[in-house]
Amino acid sequence: MKLITPLGASLRASLSAYMRAERIARFGRHGLLALGCVLVLSLFGSSFWQAGTSLQALGDLQRHAERTGRVDSLMIQLVEAENGVRGYLLTRNRAYLEPYLNSLATVTYTLDDIHLDLGKGPENEQILAQLTGLITLRMRILSDEVERGQLIDRSASADGRRYMDEIRKTLGEIKRRTRVQGQQSFEASIAHVDRTRWVVATLAGGALALLVVLFLVLRAQVRLREQITRLLAQENVRLERQVRARTAELSDLASYLTNTREAEKARLARELHDELGALLTAVRMDVAWIARKLDPAVLAPHRERFDRLLRTLDSGIALKRRIIDDLRPPLLQELGLVAALRTLGEEFAKNTGIQVALDLPDGDLILPPETSLALFRIAQEALTNVRRHAQASHVDLSLRVGPERLQLAVADDGAGFDADSAHGRHGLAGMRHRVQMFAGDFAIDSRPGEGTQIRASLPYEGVVQPEPATDAAQ
Ligand SMILES: Nc1ncnc2c1ncn2[C@@H]1O[C@H](COP(=O)(O)OP(=O)(O)OP(=O)(O)O)[C@@H](O)[C@H]1O
Ligand SMILES: [Mg+2]
C-alpha cells in the first residue's frame, strides 16, 4: 500500500521552472549589475565631459571679447596719442603729452598681445608686420612734431592721416579675423556640447531601460516565489489530508483486529467451555461411576490408577478453566467491571507477592460491554508489564468516576522507563489504541528509577449502580 503519494505535478513543474529561472536570474543579475555600473559610470563621465565642454565654450566667448577689446584699445591708444600731440602743439602744455607718452610705452605690448591672439601663420605674420610698420611710421611723424614743437609740412600731415586710415583698416581686418576664429571655436564647442548631450541622453535611456528590465526580472521572480509558496501550502494541505486518511485507515484496521481478536477469544472460550468442558466433565463422571460400580475386590489392584486418572482429569478441567479465564475475563460479564478489576488485583497480589492497593467504586458501573472489556484489558496489560518489567513492591490500581469521565490508573513504584524511547512492542500501543477507539486520553508517566503510572481516561455518561455487584451473580 502506498501511504503517501509524491509531489503534485504542478508543484514539480513550478519548482523546476523556479530553479531554472533562479539559475538564469543569478547570471542575468550579475550581468545586468555590471552593465548598470558601466552605464552609470559612463553617464557620470559624459556629464562631466559635457560640463567641461560648456565651460570651454564660455571661456572661448570671453577670450573672443578680450581679443576684440585689445584691438579696439590699440586704436584708442593711437587716437589718444594723436589728440594729445595736437593739444600740446596748440597749447604748449606738456600735460597733453601724457597720452602720447603712455601710448609709446603700451603700444608694443598691445601689439604683442594681438600677435599672440592671432596666432602664427604667414597671413597673420604679414598683416601684423604691416600694422607694426604703419604704427611705427605714424608714431615717428608724431615724435618729429613733438621734437620740433610744431606741425610739420602738409604732406607729412596728409601721410599721418593716410597712415591712420590704413591702421584703422588693418585693425578692422584683424578684428574680422579674430571674430571668425572666435566664431569657429565657439561653433566647435557648441557642436561638442550637442554631441555629448546625445551621448548623455542615450546613456540615461539605457540606464532607464536596464532598471525596467531589472524590475521585470525581479517581479517575475517574486511572482514565481509566491506561486510556489501557494502550491507548497496546497501540497501541505493535500499531504495532511492524506496522512489523516491513512491514519484513520490504520486506526480502523487496528480496531478491526482488536475486535476480531476479542471475538475470536470469546468464540474459543465458548468452544472450550461448551465442548471440551462437557467432554471432560462427562469422562470424569463416567470414570467416577465405573469406580463406584466396580467390585472393590476387582478395583483394589487398580485403585491407584483410577485415582491418578481422576486427578489428571481434574487437572485438565482446571487447565481448561484457566485457559477460558485467560481468554474471557472471568466475572466481567457476570459481575461487571468493578468486581472483575478487584479480582484481577487480588489475583495479581496473590500470584506475584506484590502489594496491591485498590481504589474502586463501591457499586458497579453501567457501561457498554466493549468499554468494560477495554478498561479491563488495559488494567490486565498494565499489571502484566509491572510483573515483567517493573520489579515493583507496590501497585495502586484505581478506577475513578468523574462527572463526564472515567479514569483508570495503574501506578507502580518499580524501575520505571523512558516513555519516549519505549518502542517496538505492542502492549503500550495496544492500550493507547483501545483508549483512542473510545475517543479517550491515554498517558504514560514514567522515568527511570521513579516508577510508572498509566492513565486511561474515557468519556462516561453513566451512573454508579447503587446495589452491590455481587447481587447480580446470585
Ligand atoms: N510498569 C513498567 N515498569 C517498567 N518498564 C515498563 C513498564 N511498562 C512498560 N515498560 C517498558 O516499556 C516497554 C514496552 O512495553 P510494552 O508493554 O509495549 O511491550 P512489552 O511488555 O515489552 O511486550 P508486549 O508486546 O508483549 O507487551 C517494555 O519493554 C518495558 O521496557
Ligand atoms: Mg507488555
Side-chain angles (χ1 to χ4, degrees), residues 380-386 388-389 425-428 431:
Q380 212 175 19
E381 172 61 25
L383 288 177
T384 307
N385 275 354
V386 173
R388 285 172 64 187
H389 311 295
R425 305 307 297 263
H426 309 298
L428 295 177
M431 287 192 235

Side-chain angles (χ1 to χ4, degrees), residues 83-247:
N83 289 342
V85 170
R86 277 205 196 114
Y88 167 69
L89 293 180
L90 288 174
T91 62
R92 298 292 166 192
N93 185 351
R94 289 197 71 83
Y96 282 104
L97 283 179
E98 201 184 328
Y100 161 70
L101 295 171
N102 282 346
S103 298
L104 279 183
T106 58
V107 158
T108 319
Y109 296 123
T110 312
L111 271 172
D112 285 348
D113 286 346
I114 290 172
H115 190 187
L116 280 176
D117 291 344
L118 270 180
K120 301 219 179 304
E123 284 187 4
N124 293 341
E125 298 289 345
Q126 189 192 350
I127 198 164
L128 263 172
Q130 186 186 334
L131 179 67
T132 313
L134 287 167
I135 289 172
T136 310
L137 288 170
R138 180 65 189 126
M139 293 307 267
R140 196 174 292 150
I141 291 171
L142 286 179
S143 105
D144 282 353
E145 285 172 347
V146 171
E147 264 176 31
R148 287 191 203 164
Q150 62 178 40
L151 287 170
I152 28 181
D153 54 45
R154 276 175 184 278
S155 68
S157 95
D159 281 349
R161 270 198 304 279
R162 193 163 50 80
Y163 291 152
M164 276 308 271
D165 287 343
E166 288 292 322
I167 287 170
R168 202 170 279 117
K169 261 194 242 162
T170 313
L171 283 177
E173 173 60 18
I174 288 173
K175 256 170 102 174
R176 191 188 65 75
R177 287 189 187 183
T178 310
R179 198 170 51 244
V180 167
Q181 272 181 1
Q183 188 69 25
Q184 279 172 352
S185 123
F186 184 69
E187 275 170 7
S189 297
I190 290 295
H192 222 112
V193 169
D194 200 40
R195 270 199 305 280
T196 48
R197 194 168 58 123
W198 282 111
V199 171
V200 169
T202 312
L203 288 174
L208 194 69
L210 201 70
L211 271 180
V212 171
V213 170
L214 261 178
F215 169 75
L216 289 177
V217 167
L218 284 178
R219 198 179 59 170
Q221 264 185 300
V222 167
R223 280 192 181 160
L224 207 55
R225 221 171 280 163
E226 281 172 358
Q227 191 185 350
I228 283 176
T229 312
R230 215 170 35 248
L231 285 171
L232 277 177
Q234 284 170 6
E235 191 65 18
N236 259 354
V237 171
R238 190 180 72 84
L239 288 177
E240 265 172 29
R241 212 177 294 135
Q242 270 189 5
V243 167
R244 266 202 303 276
R246 299 292 176 262
T247 310

